Amino acid sequence: MSSSNPYQVAVDQVRSAATALKLDEGTVNILVRSRRELVINFPVKMDDGSLRVFTGYRVQHNNARGPYKGGVRYHPSVSLEEMRALAMWMTWKCALVGIPFGGAKGGVMCDPKQLSRSELERMTRRFAWELSPVIGPHVDIPAPDAYTNAQTMSWIMDAYSANVGHSVPAVVTGKPVSLGGSEGREEATSRGLMHCLREALRYRKLSPQGSTVSVQGFGNVGSNAARLLRDELGMKVIAVSDSTGGIYDPSGLDIKKVSEHKEATGSVRDLPSATNITNEELLELECTVLVPAALGEVITEHNADDIKASLVIEGANGPTLPEADRILYEKGCMLIPDVLANAGGVTASYFEWVQDLQYQFWTRSEVNQRLDRTMTSAFGRVLTSSLNEGTDMRTAAYMLAVREVVTAMELRGIYP
Ligand code: GLU
């Protein structure tokens, strides 16, 4: 792990797009800052009767194009700087796929693995109560992120609804289907990633069946990506990993077996028939496609040269540092950036929000078809722009997204 600051990375990325777009410094100064930053220190009663104070955040970056939107994560690394970067990335992501949202991110600094279910529930409800004044279905709509899930969203929805006195399903997305969640939302990030990868392989004239893939991370994004890339695209998944380490099998892993093994043992490691490897080794394996789908800052100037994949597709937010971007681009490796590659999650969140506001629900195949259309068209736009501008895919994506946001800001003007 590099010790670089994710917010600085996010600022550098916007600045290079702003230079290419010839934006004035005043506008850039708005874009590189969050609009609002809420820091909350809140007490939670632990199971042993003691009181513990947790620190949580909600950073709202930009709402020129619509309500703030973005996930909530529970992790020891959660910090204001990290939230700032992640909130900014949400703004670009929503603009890039053309959904009417701005960007936000929240989180609580904690180790969710050390908390019991009832502690997690009390922490989540209190955090949601503290967030109530700044969130809402037309204001800011949280969703799951690292180490939060549909149950977390149910608690947030319930706590917010109790506060306002009636049920408000559209205040969060990523809920269970029984509470107004959308069919297909859970796997949507990975399904969207699969659509992008399908298009990228087609562009590079590579057949999915003849391609191998390594997936770092076995949470919601990584595990569903490994399954979908194998079962629906027919790719051979040769390595996967989680926070404890990884496994490698050149003849291809059976992802269902890996999931059952992780369910039973708590880790993907020690799967009979596979070889244990480290997370670092996974990144450098000989394969066609690398999917970093764990946490940020894993591809750096120190290992970028050793990456052998010809395509890197970012399931995680911020896995690649700017210097590594340059190294990969120069050696002809196509990197499909997070703001495009993992935008399927927030796209399906948008579908969920629309359904909740209308109290009318779509079938899974309707959701999946709309998702495919959105992702395929966004990929096409980014690829065309990268070829026209002669830039890497990240710069191309930023140029398209930043231009959209700036257009909305200019149309609205400065008021009061
Ligand atoms: N946390 C996801 C992301 O980083 C989803 C956000 C959302 O659905 O609002 O894109």
Side-chain angles (χ1 to χ4, degrees), residues 104-181:
K105 200 74 159 207
V108 179
M109 193 206 302
C110 65
D111 184 353
K113 291 180 189 159
Q114 302 296 324
L115 299 173
S116 70
R117 184 184 154 94
S118 60
E119 287 170 339
L120 271 175
E121 175 172 353
R122 285 193 297 278
M123 187 186 83
T124 302
R125 286 180 178 281
R126 174 66 189 240
F127 182 53
W129 184 82
E130 299 276 358
L131 286 181
S132 288
V134 302
I135 62 173
H138 299 288
V139 183
D140 181 353
I141 305 129
D145 197 81
Y147 295 98
T148 57
N149 55 28
Q151 177 61 73
T152 324
M153 298 306 115
S154 308
W155 291 326
I156 298 180
M157 181 271 197
D158 186 65
Y160 180 85
S161 299
N163 249 3
V164 298
H166 57 95
S167 290
V168 189
V171 68
V172 283
T173 56
K175 300 178 295 295
V177 171
S178 344
L179 266 191

Side-chain angles (χ1 to χ4, degrees), residues 49-120:
S50 67
L51 269 184
R52 204 169 129 194
V53 176
F54 288 88
T55 302
Y57 305 91
R58 186 72 182 170
V59 169
Q60 298 174 333
H61 172 252
N62 185 293
N63 68 348
R65 300 182 61 264
Y68 299 106
K69 185 85 190 80
V72 164
R73 63 167 60 176
Y74 292 165
H75 197 265
S77 78
V78 165
S79 68
L80 186 53
E81 303 268 278
E82 188 191 56
M83 296 294 108
R84 281 180 181 149
L86 290 160
M88 211 188 279
W89 289 329
M90 288 309 302
T91 302
W92 315 135
K93 209 182 281 187
C94 295
L96 189 64
V97 290
I99 56 177
F101 291 132
K105 200 74 159 207
V108 179
M109 193 206 302
C110 65
D111 184 353
K113 291 180 189 159
Q114 302 296 324
L115 299 173
S116 70
R117 184 184 154 94
S118 60
E119 287 170 339
L120 271 175

Side-chain angles (χ1 to χ4, degrees), residues 352-366:
E352 178 174 337
W353 180 74
V354 168
Q355 294 170 74
D356 286 344
L357 292 178
Q358 299 180 340
Y359 295 94
Q360 206 169 46
F361 293 88
W362 309 345
T363 62
R364 179 175 286 253
S365 85
E366 208 171 336

Side-chain angles (χ1 to χ4, degrees), residues 96-349:
L96 189 64
V97 290
I99 56 177
F101 291 132
K105 200 74 159 207
V108 179
M109 193 206 302
C110 65
D111 184 353
K113 291 180 189 159
Q114 302 296 324
L115 299 173
S116 70
R117 184 184 154 94
S118 60
E119 287 170 339
L120 271 175
E121 175 172 353
R122 285 193 297 278
M123 187 186 83
T124 302
R125 286 180 178 281
R126 174 66 189 240
F127 182 53
W129 184 82
E130 299 276 358
L131 286 181
S132 288
V134 302
I135 62 173
H138 299 288
V139 183
D140 181 353
I141 305 129
D145 197 81
Y147 295 98
T148 57
N149 55 28
Q151 177 61 73
T152 324
M153 298 306 115
S154 308
W155 291 326
I156 298 180
M157 181 271 197
D158 186 65
Y160 180 85
S161 299
N163 249 3
V164 298
H166 57 95
S167 290
V168 189
V171 68
V172 283
T173 56
K175 300 178 295 295
V177 171
S178 344
L179 266 191
S182 177
E183 293 289 349
R185 170 63 185 88
E186 195 141 323
E187 61 169 37
T189 311
S190 314
R191 187 168 282 283
L193 182 144
M194 175 184 79
H195 297 318
C196 282
L197 184 56
R198 180 193 63 204
E199 297 304 305
L201 290 171
R202 187 176 293 162
Y203 167 69
R204 285 271 170 128
K205 299 194 170 48
L206 293 165
S207 89
Q209 294 80 7
S211 301
T212 53
V213 55
S214 305
V215 182
Q216 185 187 55
F218 211 70
N220 179 40
V221 182
S223 65
N224 280 310
R227 177 178 58 82
L228 290 169
L229 296 181
R230 177 182 187 269
D231 294 353
E232 297 204 11
L233 280 195
M235 298 180 76
K236 193 193 277 182
V237 182
I238 58 164
V240 299
S241 70
D242 59 25
S243 58
T244 66
I247 46 173
Y248 169 64
D249 181 351
S251 64
L253 292 160
D254 179 337
I255 303 305
K256 195 160 173 277
K257 279 211 182 99
V258 177
S259 296
E260 286 164 3
H261 175 73
K262 182 166 165 85
E263 186 68 37
T265 66
S267 148
V268 297
R269 281 174 77 82
D270 302 323
L271 181 82
S273 81
T275 313
N276 284 339
I277 54 170
T278 65
N279 264 297
E280 292 72 31
E281 285 166 341
L282 181 140
L283 296 172
E284 297 173 14
L285 284 176
E286 197 78 58
C287 58
T288 323
V289 178
L290 172 65
V291 186
L295 291 169
E297 300 179 10
V298 293
I299 305 180
T300 69
E301 59 185 312
H302 304 297
N303 62 2
D305 230 358
D306 299 316
I307 286 179
K308 297 171 193 72
S310 43
L311 279 150
V312 174
I313 177 157
E314 298 183 326
N317 289 312
T320 314
L321 292 177
E323 187 52 36
D325 267 339
R326 270 187 287 278
I327 298 171
L328 293 176
Y329 184 60
E330 273 158 24
K331 65 178 195 169
C333 171
M334 183 189 214
L335 181 139
I336 305 167
D338 46 10
V339 291
L340 171 63
N342 71 35
V346 73
T347 300
S349 277

